[in-house]
Amino acid sequence: MTETELRPGLDRHQRQLLKKLVANEQSPALAEMAKELLAGRTTPAQILTSRAYDEALGAGAEALSSWYATTSDEDRQALAEQGQAELARLAEDELAGVPDGPEPVQKPAPKPEPEEDLSEQTWSRDSW
């Protein structure tokens, strides 16, 4: 497929990734960046030329660089082919109007432990 034919799949994939980043509790900076991108208040080019997200993006870039350096050409090629096939599938879904899928679920804040009701407790030594 050509890049133009894959564009709907790439758009869908980007939306899905950004939605996952919004739910990212490990990096509030990446979550904020994803929200800004999804809302259209910034562009990838603006993010890359800004220093605002350098620290958050730097760790991922280092991990990618390390992975790339230790992965064989054959493995990279196989993964590239898998990626192309996935983009083609996503493009077909997008053009067919298949919904993106469920929103990533954010973990709810833990509920505080209820305080123990000691109103019925007998405090005499005989009850121990």
Side-chain angles (χ1 to χ4, degrees):
M1 293 185 96
T2 67
E3 186 175 334
T4 302
E5 293 170 317
L6 291 175
R7 186 78 232 170
L10 186 57
D11 291 343
R12 175 176 283 235
H13 183 65
Q14 288 170 343
R15 272 194 319 276
Q16 290 172 346
L17 287 175
L18 289 172
K19 288 177 182 178
K20 285 181 184 177
L21 281 175
V22 167
N24 182 353
E25 296 175 355
Q26 301 298 320
S27 177
L30 287 178
E32 174 192 329
M33 179 193 71
K35 285 178 193 172
E36 294 296 307
L37 284 164
L38 283 169
R41 291 187 289 265
T42 191
T43 66
Q46 289 170 325
I47 287 172
L48 292 175
T49 58
S50 163
R51 312 273 311 160
Y53 302 107
D54 281 357
E55 187 176 325
L57 294 173
E62 287 176 22
L64 176 62
S65 177
S66 175
W67 170 84
Y68 191 85
T70 59
T71 304
S72 70
D73 290 340
E74 295 80 21
D75 287 345
R76 286 195 300 262
Q77 181 61 37
L79 290 168
E81 289 169 7
Q82 289 175 4
Q84 290 291 323
E86 179 63 10
L87 287 177
R89 185 192 66 76
L90 289 169
E92 290 171 9
D93 287 353
E94 185 75 5
L95 295 173
V98 175
D100 274 351
E103 295 291 319
V105 177
Q106 287 186 322
K107 295 178 188 173
K111 294 181 182 177
E113 293 289 324
E115 291 186 25
E116 186 176 357
D117 181 8
L118 301 175
S119 62
E120 301 294 321
Q121 178 68 37
T122 303
W123 294 101
S124 69
R125 257 189 202 272
D126 298 336
S127 67
W128 294 355

